Amino acid sequence: MKSAVTVSLVEAAHGGPFVFWDDLPAACASAERLGFDAIELFAPDPLTVPAATLKNLIDDHNLSLAAVGTGAGWVVRKLSLTSPDSKIRQEARDFIRSMIEYGGPFGAPAIIGSMQGRWSDGVSREQALRWLGEALIDLEQTAKGFGVPLIYEPLNRYETNLCRTLGEGVDLLRSTGCSQVKLLADLFHLFIEEANVADAVRAHGAAVGHVHFVDTNRRAVGFGHADFGPIMRALKEVGYSGYLSAEAFPLPDGEATAAQTIRAVRYWTQQ
Ligand code: LER
Ligand code: MN
């Protein structure tokens, strides 16, 4: 398993669960110094940091790009793949496609989390899941062009009413027939929604393509109260070899969160 740390450049997301903020060169320098394999980037759009600039930065710091988030489409532009308004649904798809095309040349998948939206306003759950499924089928084609998966993230009940567990995520993927859409196991969401996180990972591990590595209170692993032994054993059992990416609150600060995360990654991957 490989290590990654999140960097947010989205002003409107301040207060959110990202380790490093605003200063991408400084975040890359810290990530390299601490020994991370990669950064995961939460950017406003594909233009704020031109791809060439990003490439120079990560190359200079011996880092990879683990994934790109698409949540700015929701946070900044209020786009959603399940909006009742077809124009907004289309704009949401266009935005996500632009992020797939941004990360693709780096081998980095795009993550669909908050852009999935929620059903309401006269839209049934079935209808919303159909729209979401159609978008995954369409966007998977773009991802395939770069040889990268597309990552879909079940979220806890306070953030979506569509898919909240890995099992519900697997059901959605099955209904689409998509083979290159993988699930993001964000442990924070799973601690809220799963009866047993290790059992869920064991049952659905084949579908997991990315992990948000974080403790129960959304702080660095070890700064909360989960027992990571069973979860890490489950990830090993299912042969997970992707990223453990720290998407956590910078508490007490980003450096301490990143340092604790890399200690936890080393400890748990060597057990
Ligand atoms: C939001 O709670 C989250 O986990 C992000 O990864 C989704 O964009
Ligand atoms: Mn997440």
Side-chain angles (χ1 to χ4, degrees), residues 1-7 17-19 36-42 64-69 111 153 184-188 209-215 218-221 228 232 235 240 242-249 257-258 261-262 265:
M1 289 178 242
K2 299 168 286 183
S3 58
V5 61
T6 49
V7 185
F18 302 101
V19 175
F36 279 92
D37 297 310
I39 58 161
E40 177 180 321
L41 187 61
F42 191 70
S64 298
L65 187 63
V68 292
I111 296 169
E153 180 176 27
L184 201 173
D186 181 325
L187 301 179
F188 170 72
H210 197 68
V211 171
H212 278 160
F213 191 60
V214 60
D215 217 316
R218 221 170 200 182
R219 294 185 60 189
V221 170
F228 275 79
M232 296 306 295
L235 283 168
Y240 179 72
Y243 283 101
L244 299 175
S245 185
E247 186 186 72
F249 289 123
T257 301
T261 294
I262 202 74
V265 168

